[in-house]
Amino acid sequence: LKDVQAFLRREIQKLNNAAVIIAGSNQRLLYRIFNNKKNPFYSFGEDIELLPIPLNEYLPYLNERFSYNNLSISEDVAEYLQNCMNNIPNYINELGAWIVDNYRDMEIIREQIDSIIMSLVQSKKGRYESALYGYTKNQKKFIKAIAKKGYVKNYSGKEMQELTSLSATELLRVKQELEDCPLLSLDTSNQFFIIDPFFRRFLEWL
């Protein structure tokens, strides 16, 4: 991977009058890439923090898109939708597009949001099943427990042991095995979580 990073940095440095944005969802991995003195991208560029889009700015856009199919959504329901999507614009837009493609002539109410999300999850079931291929039984238990809890810092605690039926020693070993697992994200507080809200719902549904 360092060879790839070195190649990318050399190529980027050849560019003139071009802005380059390197983005990703795994905060811990990004931290390693840009803060480890041994890595080619150490101290490269400037940090840009992308904050959630405020609801009062996003709601008009959402209702404008919904209006094409005579759909509408209230502010409190839109806020619930945003929270279900972890306030990440990419997933909010994906869910909004799914609603526009599959519903019309109605007001979207809060009670419908969860079933709408699950209909989208069902459409991606094969993709998510494939994502779990190659993982051991214990690793899958660990990943599913993360999905159920949301954010986990105490990987080997009593609650994780109860959710997985694994011992503290087994949980610590699995945690080490999944340090760079693309299905999981690790925040700056060293908490595991699943950033894709659709994948998290899929795991909860299993």
Side-chain angles (χ1 to χ4, degrees), residues 102-146:
N102 293 277
Y103 300 86
R104 63 182 308 112
D105 302 322
M106 61 188 292
E107 179 180 2
I108 304 299
I109 60 175
R110 180 177 175 135
E111 290 72 20
Q112 293 173 307
I113 295 296
D114 289 325
S115 62
I116 291 173
I117 291 172
M118 284 311 300
S119 68
L120 192 158
V121 170
Q122 286 279 4
S123 75
K124 303 169 78 170
K125 180 173 176 283
R127 180 189 306 183
Y128 290 143
E129 288 175 340
S130 296
L132 291 172
Y133 289 160
Y135 289 94
T136 67
K137 184 178 179 180
N138 285 351
Q139 288 172 344
K140 290 177 182 178
K141 286 182 178 180
F142 187 93
I143 293 168
K144 288 175 67 176
I146 299 295

Side-chain angles (χ1 to χ4, degrees), residues 56-68:
N56 64 336
E57 294 180 16
Y58 194 80
L59 184 58
Y61 168 77
L62 195 59
N63 269 318
E64 178 188 349
R65 302 294 296 176
F66 280 5
S67 67
Y68 296 137

Side-chain angles (χ1 to χ4, degrees), residues 58 62 66 81 91-101 120:
Y58 194 80
L62 195 59
F66 280 5
L81 183 152
Y91 298 116
I92 295 170
N93 290 340
E94 184 176 354
L95 181 57
W98 176 262
I99 292 172
V100 171
D101 287 343
L120 192 158

Side-chain angles (χ1 to χ4, degrees), residues 135-149 152-157 160-161 163-168 170-179 181 184-186 191-194 203:
Y135 289 94
T136 67
K137 184 178 179 180
N138 285 351
Q139 288 172 344
K140 290 177 182 178
K141 286 182 178 180
F142 187 93
I143 293 168
K144 288 175 67 176
I146 299 295
K148 187 168 185 178
K149 282 181 60 63
V152 176
K153 189 170 186 177
N154 187 3
Y155 313 107
S156 58
M160 283 292 287
Q161 291 178 44
L163 285 171
T164 60
S165 300
L166 299 175
S167 68
E170 289 173 317
L171 285 166
L172 286 172
R173 182 171 63 251
V174 172
K175 184 260 181 182
Q176 292 176 342
E177 293 169 354
L178 296 176
E179 279 283 345
C181 171
L184 299 173
S185 293
L186 198 61
Q191 296 184 113
F192 265 136
F193 68 102
I194 294 173
L203 292 169

Side-chain angles (χ1 to χ4, degrees), residues 51-58 82 87 89 92:
L51 300 174
I53 300 173
L55 179 61
N56 64 336
E57 294 180 16
Y58 194 80
Q82 281 192 318
N87 286 298
I92 295 170

